[in-house]
Amino acid sequence: MGCCESKDDDTTTTQLKDNHHHHRHHLTTNRPTQKQQKQQQQQHPSSSTTTEGVPPFTEFSFSDLKTATNSFNSDFIVSESGEKAPNLVYKGKLKTHKWIAVKKFTKQAWPDPKQFVEEALGVGKLRHKRLANLIGYCCDGDERLLVAEYMPNDTLAKHLFHWESQTIEWAMRLRVAYYIAEALDYCSTEGLPLYHDLNAYRVLFDEDGDPRLSCFGLMKNSRDGKSYSTNLAYTPPEYLKNGRVTPESVIYSFGTVLLDLLSGKHIPPSHALDMIRNKNIVLLMDSHLEGKFSTDEATVVMGLASQCLQYEPRERPKTNDLVATLAPMQTKLDVASYVMLGISKHEEVPSTPPRRLSPMGEACSRMDLTAIHQILVMAHYRDDEGTNELSFQEWTQQMRDMLDARKRGDYAFRDKDFKAAIDCYSQFIDVGTMVSPTVFARRSLCYLLCDQPDAALRDAMQAQCVYADWPTAFYMQSVALAKLDMHKDAADMLNEAALLEEKKQQGGK
């Protein structure tokens, strides 16, 4: 094997990543007008710096979201009640390979499109690390949909009431309470203190296992005009009187979540309050904790829950009081949430069902460069057919020299002299009279074998530009991306390549 020295390249890894996303098919969206964006920035100048990596609030077309959810396929439903929920929530995958949560309302939920858009814009201006942030909406004809960040690690209800391997440890329960209190306090500070139907199903866990509050509950008509979906035993007493949600009602609901965290069960507040008054801490606490909790901390949390569940709304604490009470009890600050939850770190968001891979796909998934080399040698130039149509006049001495350079590159490639192959293929490419996706794929592999993944990714992308639906171009990109530690993108590209290969085999190129 020829030994290659790394060359300086003006294209940085970051630029390549940006270019890579540019070349992949993007979702076409309509962003808010400059005037709307300016108004949002003036009203909330700090909101854009609260979180990193959250996309700007955007209007989506219905066709985009239909594509993302595979035509709202039932397999993509992530609502806790499944298809029985009045307003279904789907997971979806944009063409940018980002996973999203899409809430699809019934046609009766928001008859007034103007009201829906105004509500969505209001919630969409919020940006906080304790929220599953709203990133867009769709108001297309009778269709009303919300788009939020996707949280891949289930709900608090699932981890608390329906756990399989282990229950949530005490320190993590305190973290959940604290993070949700922070989310409510942020919303209140930003002028949106009302949260509809706060319960354990509204608390979601992100890829790091950190708890976040769903943004969907911040919308007024989030449940066909109903603010509470749970049994009347769990609703604030004032709501039973006048049917209105107030900031104090949200505090009451937070108290019921505290009871869930304490007991590991969804018990009516009246029953829990009787236990608290009788100071029967042991009876209230979750037996699955097996006594592994601080009695002093449990007493404080019970006291806070009792205050939140006061019959008179004015006697309940404010959101900043919740934060102040829970903050001192935070422990294990150096332990990641996913570790405390007993789950593996969610490196990859959900992928589409695995496909049967060809020998090329298998080699790329294993990053077996030797096997890839053998396959490219055997494939020769059969996939280049139709990419060039040369007239007789173009068969000049320059063409002969160029083809000779390619032939010398092929010999070097076959003999594993990858430095010489790069030089020869570069001569062929630089002339520019004839383009060959195979040459770009071969040079891409040469760069990989010479530890130059940036250049390898660039060549694999060029191969795709020449031959848009060529599986090999996507396979080579997946290997280069993996070498650049861009593993999510690498997995997506591998899956795309397999899909293209499957379509090709079925006769639809």
Side-chain angles (χ1 to χ4, degrees):
M1 182 185 294
C3 179
C4 298
E5 295 177 2
S6 178
K7 296 181 181 178
D8 291 333
D9 197 318
D10 293 333
T11 307
T12 63
T13 302
T14 303
Q15 289 169 325
L16 276 169
K17 185 175 181 180
D18 292 340
N19 290 338
H20 167 68
H21 284 293
H22 175 73
H23 281 283
R24 290 157 79 179
H25 304 295
H26 277 268
L27 181 74
T28 303
T29 56
N30 299 312
R31 298 188 182 279
T33 63
Q34 290 182 342
K35 183 178 180 182
Q36 288 172 325
Q37 290 178 332
K38 188 173 181 181
Q39 286 174 342
Q40 290 181 22
Q41 289 170 357
Q42 288 173 343
Q43 292 170 353
H44 300 275
S46 63
S47 62
S48 62
T49 58
T50 309
T51 51
E52 294 180 4
V54 181
F57 188 73
T58 304
E59 180 181 1
F60 292 86
S61 72
F62 182 72
S63 61
D64 289 333
L65 298 182
K66 186 177 179 181
T67 300
T69 58
N70 195 17
S71 297
F72 298 101
N73 193 305
S74 59
D75 291 340
F76 282 60
I77 295 174
V78 292
S79 311
E80 289 290 343
S81 302
E83 295 182 77
K84 296 178 183 178
N87 301 306
L88 298 177
V89 179
Y90 298 82
K91 65 180 178 183
K93 190 178 187 183
L94 301 178
K95 290 180 181 177
T96 55
H97 301 279
K98 179 179 178 63
W99 283 86
I100 53 173
V102 181
K103 183 164 188 175
K104 190 174 189 291
F105 292 96
T106 59
K107 288 179 170 52
Q108 299 79 23
W110 291 93
D112 183 354
K114 184 180 178 183
Q115 184 192 17
F116 175 75
V117 173
E118 286 177 352
E119 280 285 312
L121 287 170
V123 177
K125 73 188 177 185
L126 301 179
R127 286 291 180 270
H128 198 274
K129 60 186 176 181
R130 304 299 182 223
L131 288 175
N133 294 283
L134 190 68
I135 60 175
Y137 73 100
C138 170
C139 186
D140 191 345
D142 290 334
E143 301 295 346
R144 307 284 184 268
L145 303 98
L146 296 175
V147 182
E149 293 179 287
Y150 181 73
M151 302 289 112
N153 280 315
D154 294 317
T155 65
L156 176 61
K158 175 75 180 293
H159 287 283
L160 205 54
F161 309 141
H162 311 295
W163 54 273
E164 295 174 2
S165 57
Q166 70 174 63
T167 190
I168 305 178
E169 65 173 274
W170 177 244
M172 186 62 196
R173 297 186 192 210
L174 291 176
R175 183 175 294 183
V176 170
Y178 178 55
Y179 280 17
I180 300 310
E182 283 191 312
L184 293 174
D185 190 44
Y186 166 75
C187 294
S188 182
T189 302
E190 293 294 307
L192 288 174
L194 302 184
Y195 193 94
H196 304 263
D197 200 19
L198 174 60
N199 57 58
Y201 292 97
R202 297 286 200 178
V203 180
L204 313 171
F205 292 91
D206 64 19
E207 61 275 8
D208 295 317
D210 287 330
R212 300 216 216 168
L213 184 63
S214 169
C215 62
F216 293 148
L218 292 161
M219 295 284 287
K220 258 182 201 170
N221 288 1
S222 57
R223 289 185 175 270
D224 292 335
K226 298 177 183 177
S227 291
Y228 289 91
S229 65
T230 52
N231 187 295
L232 292 178
Y234 301 91
T235 56
E238 65 274 12
Y239 179 77
L240 297 176
K241 289 181 182 178
N242 53 37
R244 291 180 58 196
V245 178
T246 66
E248 291 78 19
S249 307
V250 181
I251 301 298
Y252 186 95
S253 296
F254 182 77
T256 67
V257 174
L258 289 180
L259 292 181
D260 293 344
L261 291 167
L262 286 165
S263 66
K265 297 181 288 290
H266 198 42
I267 59 176
S270 57
H271 295 180
L273 287 172
D274 287 340
M275 294 183 202
I276 293 172
R277 289 190 196 99
N278 296 329
K279 297 183 179 179
N280 201 336
I281 294 177
V282 176
L283 190 59
L284 179 62
M285 292 299 293
D286 188 352
S287 59
H288 292 110
L289 287 170
E290 299 177 343
K292 296 175 183 176
F293 63 88
S294 162
T295 304
D296 290 341
E297 290 173 349
T299 302
V300 172
V301 176
M302 284 185 186
L304 184 61
S306 180
Q307 292 173 43
C308 292
L309 297 169
Q310 288 297 307
Y311 184 84
E312 291 295 334
R314 64 176 180 274
E315 294 178 5
R316 298 170 197 158
K318 305 295 184 186
T319 54
N320 60 337
D321 297 324
L322 304 178
V323 174
T325 302
L326 293 164
M329 291 187 284
Q330 299 307 302
T331 57
K332 295 191 174 182
L333 302 180
D334 58 336
V335 180
S337 293
Y338 70 88
V339 174
M340 286 203 276
L341 282 175
I343 60 175
S344 58
K345 183 172 171 57
H346 209 97
E347 294 290 352
E348 275 186 45
V349 287
S351 59
T352 47
R355 302 180 186 279
R356 188 186 183 106
L357 295 176
S358 65
M360 181 64 165
E362 290 285 357
C364 289
S365 68
R366 300 192 309 270
M367 295 177 65
D368 186 343
L369 302 185
T370 301
I372 295 171
H373 173 256
Q374 291 174 345
I375 292 168
L376 289 179
V377 168
M378 294 298 293
H380 200 56
Y381 285 89
R382 65 168 180 249
D383 288 324
D384 279 21
E385 295 176 10
T387 58
N388 293 277
E389 292 183 9
L390 301 175
S391 66
F392 178 77
Q393 288 77 10
E394 288 177 294
W395 285 98
T396 61
Q397 183 62 43
Q398 186 182 46
M399 271 294 299
R400 285 194 289 273
D401 291 343
M402 183 182 70
L403 291 174
D404 182 60
R406 190 181 76 174
K407 183 182 285 188
R408 286 185 282 108
D410 290 341
Y411 287 141
F413 185 76
R414 183 194 62 189
D415 296 336
K416 301 182 181 180
D417 186 353
F418 297 115
K419 182 179 184 299
I422 288 172
D423 292 340
C424 294
Y425 285 145
S426 296
Q427 291 174 35
F428 171 86
I429 290 168
D430 290 345
V431 172
T433 306
M434 182 179 176
V435 289
S436 166
T438 298
V439 167
F440 279 118
R442 288 184 168 207
R443 193 172 71 168
S444 175
L445 179 63
C446 291
Y447 280 131
L448 285 171
L449 286 158
C450 295
D451 198 25
Q452 297 182 58
D454 290 4
L457 177 59
R458 184 181 64 241
D459 270 4
M461 289 162 58
Q462 287 297 326
Q464 185 190 345
C465 289
V466 178
Y467 187 170
D469 297 325
W470 192 33
T472 298
F474 287 78
Y475 278 134
M476 294 307 300
Q477 287 181 58
S478 75
V479 180
L481 288 164
K483 287 283 189 181
L484 290 166
D485 292 326
M486 295 161 64
H487 297 291
K488 291 179 185 177
D489 286 330
D492 288 335
M493 292 305 288
L494 188 72
N495 200 50
E496 276 194 33
L499 178 61
L500 287 171
E501 214 159 37
E502 189 178 286
K503 287 181 179 177
K504 194 174 178 182
Q505 289 170 356
Q506 292 170 354
K509 201 169 180 181

